Amino acid sequence: MTSTAQAPQSGARTAHPDHLGHVIFIAAAAAMGGFLFGYDSSVINGAVEAIRDRYDVGSAALAQVIAIALIGCAIGAATAGRIADRIGRIRCMQIAAVLFTVSAVGSALPFALWDLAFWRVIGGFAIGMASVIGPAYIAEVAPPAYRGRLGSFQQAAIVVGIAVSQLVNWGLLNAAGGDQRGKLMGLEAWQVMLGVMVVPAVLYGMLSFAIPESPRFLLSAGKRERAREILAEVEGKDIDLDARVAEIEHAMKSEHKSSFKDLLGGSFFFKPIVWIGIGLSVFQQFVGINVAFYYSSTLWQSVGVDPSDSFFYSFTTSIINIVGTVIAMIFVDRVGRKPLALIGSVGMVVGLALEAWAFSYDLVDGKLPSTQGWVALIAAHLFVLFFALSWGVVVWVFLGEMFPNRIRAAALGVAASAQWIANWAITASFPSLADWNLSGTYVIYTVCAALSIPFVLKFVKETKGKSLEEMG
């Protein structure tokens, strides 16, 4: 006969840490991986045209070098969980920090195009690890009463990382006289842009030595006394530590380890709810959002914008991304996930359609006509704003909430993998599509944004205010 006894109640749900600032420092240090995720993802934006020129490659080959990091991301994300369960969350962060550092040095000093691509894959692997380990660690060390706010550090760190990378690129370009291949510190400017990531990577590694291991991992490794010490440190000494340890151990024993097999069923291979998760992931990428972060400097230069100005516009786009993310964090629990997604979709359709219209005009003296140029610039910022305040945050919230408990982990893994693959498809195809027809490319993204509206209306159910146990 199986026991259904509940673990003792510890009072952790309403507990407050004795030193909240220390807990915030722990979460912020772990979120440094998110900062590197954002920084490494978008720093390549400043090097695209220089790489094309130095190695004399066409759009298709260039796209593969830019997009190949996403293959590393997928592998890193798929393996990080097992690595963290085997050697601990902190060791996993330290491995990611080393990989980020090695990737930055290698990318800054490549001797051939394939060599640069190899270091991009290494950096991608680190991004994939950081994308998994950061949120998992924060969720495990955060006091329950503060988990949502501390968990948002990861997404905030990603968008700040994107913005800082664009600001650094812009500063370095100006220092090199506006030439991506201009000399700085004995290297070309674009090499310095890629190499600067050594600084936050080393800082991330150093911070990982200043924060404690996850109590959950320590209990799984049989280190109960150390787990008790850390629980007292992050949740406060007023909780019943014995009961808290028993709660965690009870939850770990009763967890169902979901597997790929659990996702199968229905008439189209996967269960319908899994397809909805995949659909959300694919639509999030197929609107072309990462074109704004990987290729925006190239895009603006292709329609006649000065390189220095194009880097500045990339930075302002990143600031808009931060503003939109903050708006989403404020309203996602008030307005609801589904209404926010629909508002975002409508806004993205307008922004993308205006960009498609502006890019349909012929260049005059190598530039877009003045009116179309301004429309393209404003519309690009409008698109990023509406994406950030909706799909940028809402999709991750949906994916964390929408699946039944028994398949959540496996379904989230499949949906996240679909997102990396869709990201790769858009990133790898944009240069060739832009060479074919820039306006037509944006028409494709506009259609995808428009199709996301009936998809959300018909298939996606609101998860606001529901417990995870209600998702069965």
Side-chain angles (χ1 to χ4, degrees):
M1 190 172 176
T2 55
S3 170
T4 56
Q6 295 295 310
Q9 294 300 302
S10 62
R13 284 191 180 193
T14 55
H16 296 277
D18 300 323
H19 304 286
L20 181 59
H22 178 59
V23 177
I24 290 172
F25 168 77
I26 291 170
M32 190 71 190
F35 178 90
L36 282 162
F37 176 171
Y39 196 101
D40 190 69
S41 294
S42 65
V43 71
I44 195 70
N45 191 2
V48 173
E49 289 308 301
I51 293 168
R52 187 200 299 268
D53 184 55
R54 174 161 170 171
Y55 297 105
D56 192 25
V57 292
S59 294
L62 179 70
Q64 294 310 317
V65 174
I66 307 305
I68 199 166
L70 298 168
I71 304 299
C73 290
I75 299 168
T79 57
R82 289 187 180 182
I83 294 171
D85 283 342
R86 192 158 290 183
I87 63 173
R89 283 55 166 158
I90 299 297
R91 286 281 178 269
C92 196
M93 289 182 200
Q94 290 163 354
I95 291 170
V98 169
L99 292 177
F100 273 124
T101 305
V102 169
S103 168
V105 174
S107 297
L109 304 169
F111 51 80
L113 192 63
W114 69 264
D115 180 47
L116 176 60
F118 172 76
W119 297 117
R120 294 273 301 148
V121 173
I122 299 296
F125 191 91
I127 290 176
M129 291 181 75
S131 72
V132 170
I133 200 62
Y137 173 83
I138 293 170
E140 290 179 356
V141 298
Y146 295 91
R147 186 174 294 134
R149 281 164 284 183
L150 294 175
S152 68
F153 278 25
Q154 175 81 357
Q155 180 64 20
I158 292 170
V159 295
V160 169
I162 291 170
V164 170
S165 74
Q166 301 309 316
L167 181 61
V168 170
N169 282 357
W170 179 57
L172 290 172
L173 184 76
N174 283 328
D179 182 4
Q180 289 181 35
R181 297 198 62 188
K183 291 295 181 182
L184 277 178
M185 296 181 281
L187 299 171
E188 294 183 2
W190 69 273
Q191 293 176 274
V192 179
M193 290 174 190
L194 299 184
V196 163
M197 201 180 74
V198 165
V199 176
V202 169
L203 179 61
Y204 180 44
M206 291 169 64
L207 286 171
S208 71
F209 287 98
I211 58 178
E213 182 54 88
S214 154
R216 192 181 178 94
F217 171 75
L218 290 169
L219 287 172
S220 72
K223 299 178 180 178
R224 288 174 61 99
E225 204 47 50
R226 180 61 183 143
R228 280 169 55 92
E229 290 172 15
I230 293 166
L231 284 167
E233 185 182 325
V234 298
E235 294 187 2
K237 292 172 184 167
D238 294 336
I239 64 167
D240 183 336
L241 288 174
D242 289 327
R244 185 70 180 113
V245 167
E247 268 180 7
I248 297 172
E249 289 180 331
H250 178 81
M252 287 166 66
K253 282 175 190 169
S254 60
E255 276 178 358
H256 169 74
K257 293 279 186 187
S258 55
S259 67
F260 186 79
K261 199 186 298 182
D262 295 325
L263 308 182
L264 307 181
S267 52
F268 296 102
F269 193 66
F270 286 129
K271 294 180 189 298
I273 190 68
V274 179
W275 281 116
I276 294 170
I278 291 171
L280 284 167
S281 286
V282 169
F283 273 119
Q284 189 199 48
Q285 296 301 318
F286 274 18
V287 296
I289 186 61
N290 279 310
V291 167
F293 299 124
Y294 297 162
Y295 295 115
S296 58
S297 296
T298 297
L299 174 66
W300 295 125
Q301 288 172 55
S302 74
V303 292
V305 175
D306 175 78
S308 185
D309 287 343
S310 75
F311 275 51
F312 180 70
Y313 295 149
S314 295
F315 171 62
T316 57
T317 303
S318 301
I319 296 300
I320 292 293
N321 189 31
I322 293 174
V323 171
T325 301
V326 171
I327 293 171
M329 288 162 64
I330 292 170
F331 287 104
V332 70
D333 283 323
R334 298 180 186 180
V335 176
R337 291 78 163 122
K338 191 167 176 176
L340 215 51
L342 292 168
I343 291 167
S345 291
V346 172
M348 289 192 295
V349 167
V350 173
L352 289 165
L354 286 171
E355 283 191 87
W357 172 80
F359 292 140
S360 69
Y361 281 73
D362 292 332
L363 303 186
V364 178
D365 297 327
K367 295 185 176 183
L368 277 176
S370 179
T371 300
Q372 284 71 29
W374 279 108
V375 167
L377 190 61
I378 293 167
H381 285 73
L382 185 74
F383 162 60
V384 170
L385 175 66
F386 274 97
F387 175 87
L389 66 80
S390 60
W391 285 74
V393 170
V394 164
V395 168
W396 288 110
V397 175
F398 266 133
L399 294 180
E401 296 176 337
M402 64 187 283
F403 301 115
N405 274 338
R406 61 188 182 78
I407 67 165
R408 180 168 292 115
L412 185 52
V414 167
S417 296
Q419 198 167 111
W420 287 119
I421 293 166
N423 188 344
W424 172 82
I426 291 297
T427 305
S429 64
F430 176 74
S432 296
L433 283 172
D435 283 354
W436 161 68
N437 188 318
L438 185 57
S439 176
T441 303
Y442 273 83
V443 168
I444 293 170
Y445 300 155
T446 306
V447 169
C448 289
L451 289 174
S452 71
I453 297 171
F455 175 80
V456 170
L457 286 171
K458 182 169 175 59
F459 297 112
V460 179
K461 293 180 180 175
E462 181 60 79
T463 57
K464 173 192 166 190
K466 294 183 180 178
S467 71
L468 296 182
E469 286 67 40
E470 290 178 73
M471 302 303 168

